[in-house]
């Protein structure tokens, strides 16, 4: 199963992580490229969500980076 979550703030990030931990492949989208970059480096920017939780789903491949930036429309690295 695959899903996309638009907005990775205080609602979208925990929702994304819960889906990813339950085995759903999640494509996380946000207009803030810095948030998307931090997440895909395994870093959390929300204090009650440990970076290790983020890193775990990134390593597992269930939390994925979009191929196209939601902001610029350009391909992401």
């Amino acid at each position: 199963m695959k899903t996309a979550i638009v907005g990775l703030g205080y609602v979208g990030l925990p929702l994304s992580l819960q889906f990813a931990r339950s085995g759903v492949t999640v494509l996380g989208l946000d207009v803030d490229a810095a948030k998307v970059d931090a997440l895909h480096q395994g870093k959390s920017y929300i204090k009650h969500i440990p970076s290790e939780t983020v890193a775990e789903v990134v390593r597992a491949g269930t939390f994925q980076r979009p191929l196209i930036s939601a902001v610029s429309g350009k391909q992401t690295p």
Side-chain angles (χ1 to χ4, degrees):
M1 180 190 259
K2 296 180 181 181
T3 192
I5 304 293
V6 179
L8 298 172
Y10 287 98
V11 174
L13 181 56
L15 181 63
S16 296
L17 294 174
Q18 187 58 43
F19 273 119
R21 283 185 291 209
S22 64
V24 175
T25 300
V26 176
L27 180 65
L29 303 167
D30 199 286
V31 295
D32 186 343
K35 284 183 180 179
V36 175
D37 289 341
L39 292 171
H40 288 280
Q41 292 173 22
K43 299 176 184 172
S44 176
Y45 45 83
I46 297 177
K47 66 180 178 180
H48 70 275
I49 298 176
S51 290
E52 181 53 39
T53 301
V54 175
E56 180 183 305
V57 296
V58 170
R59 280 192 305 267
T62 53
F63 189 81
Q64 299 182 345
R65 169 187 290 277
L67 297 177
I68 304 295
S69 169
V71 178
S72 68
K74 296 179 182 175
Q75 187 169 358
T76 59

